[in-house]
Amino acid sequence: PPSADFAHAKKEMDAAIWHARLGHPSTGRHRLVQGIPHSSDFNCDPCSIAKMKSLPHATTNTKKGYKPGELVVGDYKWVNNSQLDGEGCGFFLLMDAATGYNALYAVRGKDESLSAFLKFESFLKNQKGISIKSFRHDRGKEYLNNAFQTHLSRSGIMDQSTAGYSPESNSLAESRFRVLDGVATSLLAHANLSQRFYKNAFLTASYIHNRMPDSNGHIPFESFFGKPPSYDHFKVFGCKVTYLVPKQVRQKADTPGRKFPGRIARFIGYAPGTASYLLWDGARQQTVISRDVVFSENTFKIIYQDFDSENDGDQAYIELGDEQERQTASVSIQNDSDSSSSSDTTSFSSAVEHVS
């Protein structure tokens, strides 16, 4: 009589033949075919070659196994939109893996990544007195250039570049970008605004996310600064506001018009490093920083009355979301106010989410 080893070998061979006959199904599907030999003990080389998948990546959770500064993860995103500042915008995200707190920098391109990294490095040293020990990235050219690599080497920062074509290894930064994009898109949709304000919405999303608890109750801001965040100053993105024009600006001789103290605008974010708000004055087509603001958080349809015109007839147009319908000819008004009351915050150097 045949030995047990022979019987086992014959079963394996029969199962392998049927596995090939049935089109190389998975073991589970093979077993579902009644009356056909099956086995899970053999290895099918064609299946291994044809069905090879990326192996699972080790997940890196915040607050698990790290202290602040021990691991910083970074990622870069480019938004290619003709409506966004005319030529698109880049975002460089840096996050402390221990606390989940992130800084988000709006940049013109990848060549500004090192400058943003140096700002975040200084921020950690000044706010927490800590140095970056390791930096993880996805092997982008912005990190592998000579200047960036030289800085990491001289600063004693361990370079943890991921394997090529495996962005999942940098899952912390990748997932944070996805979350922020979802929040930013929701902010724009709620205010009925177009991609023109995506940069402001994305920076605002970062500001909000740092102060929101996750499913475990962990708040990045609180973990990083050691105190709970305040929500008293939170307002609805994109809503209508009235802001105060400083008396010094209204009294300037070269400012035409009737010099009313208030102007209508739209709330588009939190001014970095101050207790002020970023506002969009649609009539003047400029961004304003102001702390003297009255909010209408349920109003998004804005009717601007430009009383600062030299003409007797007021310049007016309706803004419903981002669709502007001018009812009279456009009037160009130059604002000569100082940086404390008004600022062209579309400049990229100031577009960083840091906490005062």
Side-chain angles (χ1 to χ4, degrees), residues 147-223:
F148 211 117
Q149 288 295 310
T150 299
H151 175 73
L152 295 180
S153 178
R154 290 179 176 176
S155 302
I157 300 174
M158 184 180 296
D159 183 12
Q160 292 190 8
S161 56
T162 62
Y165 305 103
S166 59
E168 299 86 357
S169 299
N170 199 25
S171 59
L172 268 181
E174 295 277 344
S175 62
R176 179 60 57 89
F177 258 140
R178 287 193 296 270
V179 170
L180 296 184
D181 179 70
V183 175
T185 303
S186 298
L187 293 176
L188 292 174
H190 185 257
N192 194 27
L193 293 175
S194 75
Q195 289 290 102
R196 176 183 183 182
F197 293 96
Y198 183 85
K199 183 178 76 174
N200 301 100
F202 204 75
L203 292 169
T204 301
S206 174
Y207 185 92
I208 294 172
H209 191 276
N210 274 333
R211 292 157 178 78
M212 290 295 293
D214 61 16
S215 58
N216 297 319
H218 163 244
I219 303 176
F221 179 96
E222 185 173 13
S223 297

Side-chain angles (χ1 to χ4, degrees), residues 135-329:
F135 176 54
R136 181 176 297 166
H137 56 83
D138 60 1
R139 296 182 62 84
K141 293 181 179 180
E142 62 271 26
Y143 314 115
L144 299 179
N145 63 69
N146 184 63
F148 211 117
Q149 288 295 310
T150 299
H151 175 73
L152 295 180
S153 178
R154 290 179 176 176
S155 302
I157 300 174
M158 184 180 296
D159 183 12
Q160 292 190 8
S161 56
T162 62
Y165 305 103
S166 59
E168 299 86 357
S169 299
N170 199 25
S171 59
L172 268 181
E174 295 277 344
S175 62
R176 179 60 57 89
F177 258 140
R178 287 193 296 270
V179 170
L180 296 184
D181 179 70
V183 175
T185 303
S186 298
L187 293 176
L188 292 174
H190 185 257
N192 194 27
L193 293 175
S194 75
Q195 289 290 102
R196 176 183 183 182
F197 293 96
Y198 183 85
K199 183 178 76 174
N200 301 100
F202 204 75
L203 292 169
T204 301
S206 174
Y207 185 92
I208 294 172
H209 191 276
N210 274 333
R211 292 157 178 78
M212 290 295 293
D214 61 16
S215 58
N216 297 319
H218 163 244
I219 303 176
F221 179 96
E222 185 173 13
S223 297
F224 187 84
F225 289 98
K227 60 181 180 181
S230 172
Y231 304 99
D232 295 340
H233 62 294
F234 273 33
K235 302 298 179 182
V236 178
F237 183 87
C239 71
K240 174 185 175 182
V241 303
T242 304
Y243 72 93
L244 176 68
V245 180
K247 183 184 296 185
Q248 298 87 336
V249 177
R250 300 198 305 269
Q251 291 179 344
K252 282 188 176 182
D254 57 350
T255 302
R258 283 169 257 181
K259 305 178 179 64
F260 288 102
R263 290 187 61 85
I264 302 298
R266 187 185 292 278
F267 166 60
I268 57 170
Y270 305 92
T274 71
S276 302
Y277 297 96
L278 291 177
L279 313 173
W280 173 251
D281 189 328
R284 292 186 171 182
Q285 292 291 294
Q286 67 179 20
T287 304
V288 177
I289 296 178
S290 178
R291 62 175 296 275
D292 299 306
V293 185
V294 177
F295 292 85
S296 301
E297 296 190 80
N298 292 319
T299 304
F300 300 94
K301 180 178 179 180
I302 299 176
I303 301 178
Y304 291 104
Q305 287 288 136
D306 192 354
F307 294 115
D308 288 348
S309 170
E310 292 182 279
N311 303 328
D312 290 335
D314 300 331
Q315 305 300 309
Y317 67 90
I318 298 174
E319 183 185 279
L320 175 58
D322 197 45
E323 300 301 321
Q324 299 178 356
E325 200 176 301
R326 292 189 179 274
Q327 298 174 345
T328 59

Side-chain angles (χ1 to χ4, degrees), residues 249 252 254-255 334-338:
V249 177
K252 282 188 176 182
D254 57 350
T255 302
Q334 178 66 37
N335 182 9
D336 296 322
S337 60
D338 57 27

